[in-house]
């Protein structure tokens, strides 16, 4: 294992930000390669945890280095400055690093950071980006794949996560890492991690999914017990359930559970008077893929997203 | 004048989120079907536009007999942001000017911008007033997407601004208010002026005159007053030069905003407050007008310090 410096940036008052990647050289020069990008945002823990666990696993649990067939680069965090103060974006100008790709070496600070990261990860066969949802919801772990024209859904299924969300491309997605990485011919996928700020007993699920992905792609000779046969879920198959009332949101079904049509899946309580003012019913059969993550919910906010059973 | 709600949403605890507009119409029967919409406060840390809409509403109240068409004023779109010094939509942390056109099924910020787009739709002209951000100070300028410049450039020249910046189409900007409304057939102009979190009164008065002039030319108001407007310089006849900070530190400017400068004039120093050293002294990369200048002193490597517009004559 080799540590490589990807960029270093000084600060007026803080210690310099030094971002490093952990590089594991593969034993087979013909094997495919992978780069994994962890936390780009600061209010996120699973991308960081998953990436750092992978570093430890490859370094300390794979006893025979020949089992690492292809080159593996892991960058657990590119935004320590934000993580350390619980800011979501770049702390000074609040710009989102995942909206700065492919980067620009003469531009603004975060464009320069994006450029250095992109130059480092370009050219890998596969790319994995660990993200969390960008709205106020949390979710079961799933693969997000843009309809970019360069996507590889078969490759995305190899994680063995239940859902591959096959998403229409929005204008703002054209400056994301996934899109630009795909444009440069890397099979890039985003794994959307639950937005929890605390680790749970099942927090290793994504780590295991990545190891199995590496195994199926002949990058690593190791596998965990099998995952799922992924279902491709397009926007049309994702049912949005909004709450007509604002107040205190009490989900009564957990993320990842199967629900049946007309079943109560949550309720809204009047914030000052405590009575139940709305019951949220499942409009279809399916699995709860996403749920609003705060207790106080806005009117017409999306309370749940259900992936419809096909 | 009527006050209308264009969007309303009950917040979780005993409060409504309401977006309002004021509508000014002629007292007698509508004399022109033309409609103009003035929008500001899409970014919660930008207030210059609210001063302009105040001035405009006050003028219209004082001169009701001048009104010939419909004038809609939307002073504050990101209401929660404006009152909490937050650029994006609070909690969601999204830039409202990157979620257009939104939709009814969208998250709350998306529903809000959707309501705005639907309400402004049908206007002949829309003006979206921004005041840069807290980091940079801008002279009054119009930003125009090349894709729509045939329709919008002639209007921009009436607005009494100093600079018209025509930029290439960029996909990410399709999620803005102006792109969405231009696509819907409303000629939409973006004004950038001043700086975040502050009012620059002279700029407010300057733009007010421009808006009144444009409305007079379009027949939306009719008065004996003559609004003399300045002729803007345009990015068509020159280039924009960027100066980004080569290092991190504290930026201390050496000149005032809007100065006409020569190549190699000193723009400022990046200094170290700990030991009194100067990290770097910055010089103008080109002759021209300093139309953007760093306001917020803390900089990182890459932070924008200045933009200079150099005309064709300066190029030789
Ligand atoms: Zn703005």
């Amino acid at each position: 294992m080799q540590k490589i410096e990807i960029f270093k940036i000084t600060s007026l008052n803080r210690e310099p930000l030094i971002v490093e990647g952990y590089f594991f050289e593969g034993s087979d020069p013909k094997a495919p390669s992978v780069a994994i990008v962890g936390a780009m945002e600061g209010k996120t823990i699973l991308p960081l945890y998953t990436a750092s666990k992978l570093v430890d696993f490859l370094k300390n649990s794979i006893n025979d280095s020949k089992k690492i067939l292809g080159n593996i680069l892991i960058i657990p965090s590119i935004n320590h400055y934000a993580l350390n103060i619980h800011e979501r974006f770049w702390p000074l100008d609040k710009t989102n690093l995942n909206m700065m790709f492919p980067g620009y070496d003469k531009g603004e600070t975060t464009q320069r950071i994006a450029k250095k990261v992109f130059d480092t990860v370009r050219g890998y066969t596969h790319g994995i980006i660990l993200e969390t949802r960008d709205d106020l919801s949390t979710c079961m772990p799933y693969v997000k794949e843009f309809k970019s024209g360069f996507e590889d859904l078969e490759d995305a299924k190899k994680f063995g996560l239940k859902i591959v969300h096959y998403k229409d491309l929005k204008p703002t997605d054209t400056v994301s890492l996934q899109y630009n990485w795909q444009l440069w011919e890397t099979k890039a996928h985003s794994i959307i991690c639950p937005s929890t700020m605390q680790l749970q007993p099942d927090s290793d699920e994504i780590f295991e999914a990545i190891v199995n992905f590496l195994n199926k792609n002949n990058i690593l000779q190791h596998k965990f017990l099998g995952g799922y046969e992924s279902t491709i879920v397009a926007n049309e198959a994702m049912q949005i359930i909004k709450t007509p009332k604002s107040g205190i949101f009490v989900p009564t079904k957990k993320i990842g559970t199967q629900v049946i049509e007309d079943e109560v899946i949550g309720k809204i309580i009047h914030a000052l008077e405590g009575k139940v003012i709305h019951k949220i019913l499942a409009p279809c059969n399916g699995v709860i893929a996403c749920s609003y993550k705060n207790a106080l919910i806005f009117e017409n906010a999306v309370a749940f997203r259900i992936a419809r059973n096909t | 004048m009527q006050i209308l709600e264009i969007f309303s949403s009950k917040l979780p605890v005993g409060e409504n989120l309401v977006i309002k507009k004021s509508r000014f119409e002629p007292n007698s029967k509508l004399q022109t079907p033309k409609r103009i919409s003035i929008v500001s406060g899409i970014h919660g840390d930008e207030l210059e536009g609210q001063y302009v809409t105040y001035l405009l509403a006050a003028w219209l109240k004082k001169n009701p007999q001048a009104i010939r068409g419909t004038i809609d004023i939307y002073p504050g779109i990101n209401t929660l942001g404006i009152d909490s010094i937050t650029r994006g939509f609070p909690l969601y942390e999204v830039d409202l000017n990157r979620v257009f056109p939104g939709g009814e099924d969208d998250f709350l910020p998306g529903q809000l911008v959707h309501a705005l787009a639907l309400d402004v739709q049908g206007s002949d002209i829309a003006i979206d007033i921004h005041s840069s951000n807290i980091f940079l100070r801008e002279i009054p300028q119009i930003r125009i997407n090349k894709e729509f410049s045939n329709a919008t450039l002639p209007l921009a020249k009436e607005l009494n601004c100093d600079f018209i910046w025509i930029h290439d189409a960029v996909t990410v900007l399709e999620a803005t208010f102006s792109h969405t409304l231009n696509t819907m057939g409303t000629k939409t102009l973006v004004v950038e002026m001043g700086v975040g979190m502050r009012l620059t009164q002279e700029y407010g008065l300057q733009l007010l005159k421009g808006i009144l002039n444009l409305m007079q030319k379009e027949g939306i108001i009719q008065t004996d007053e003559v609004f003399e407007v300045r002729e803007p310089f345009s990015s068509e006849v020159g280039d924009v030069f960027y100066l980004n900070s080569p290092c991190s530190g504290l930026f201390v400017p050496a000149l005032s905003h809007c100065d006409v400068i020569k190549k190699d004039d000193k723009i400022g120093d990046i200094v170290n407050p700990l030991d009194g050293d100067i990290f770097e002294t910055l010089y103008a990369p080109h002759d021209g007008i300093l139309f953007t200048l760093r306001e917020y002193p803390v900089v990182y490597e890459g932070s924008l310090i200045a933009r200079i517009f150099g005309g064709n004559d300066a190029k030789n």
Side-chain angles (χ1 to χ4, degrees), chain B residues 118-134:
Chain B
L118 288 186
D119 203 82
V120 174
Q121 184 176 25
S123 304
D124 299 277
I125 300 168
I127 300 173
D128 178 20
I129 307 171
H130 288 257
S131 35
S132 185
N133 52 41
I134 61 167

Side-chain angles (χ1 to χ4, degrees), chain B residues 42-46 87 95 97 128-133 190-192:
Chain B
I42 288 179
H43 290 136
D45 58 351
E46 301 177 16
R87 183 174 179 81
D95 181 337
N97 216 18
D128 178 20
I129 307 171
H130 288 257
S131 35
S132 185
N133 52 41
V190 177
V191 178
E192 283 285 1

Side-chain angles (χ1 to χ4, degrees), chain A residues 10 109 242 246 299-300, chain B residues 9-11 104 111 248 301:
Chain A
T10 60
T109 312
K242 300 204 292 182
S246 60
E299 191 182 56
N300 289 323
Chain B
S9 180
K10 276 206 180 77
L11 294 176
E104 272 174 33
Q111 293 168 29
S248 302
E301 179 193 331

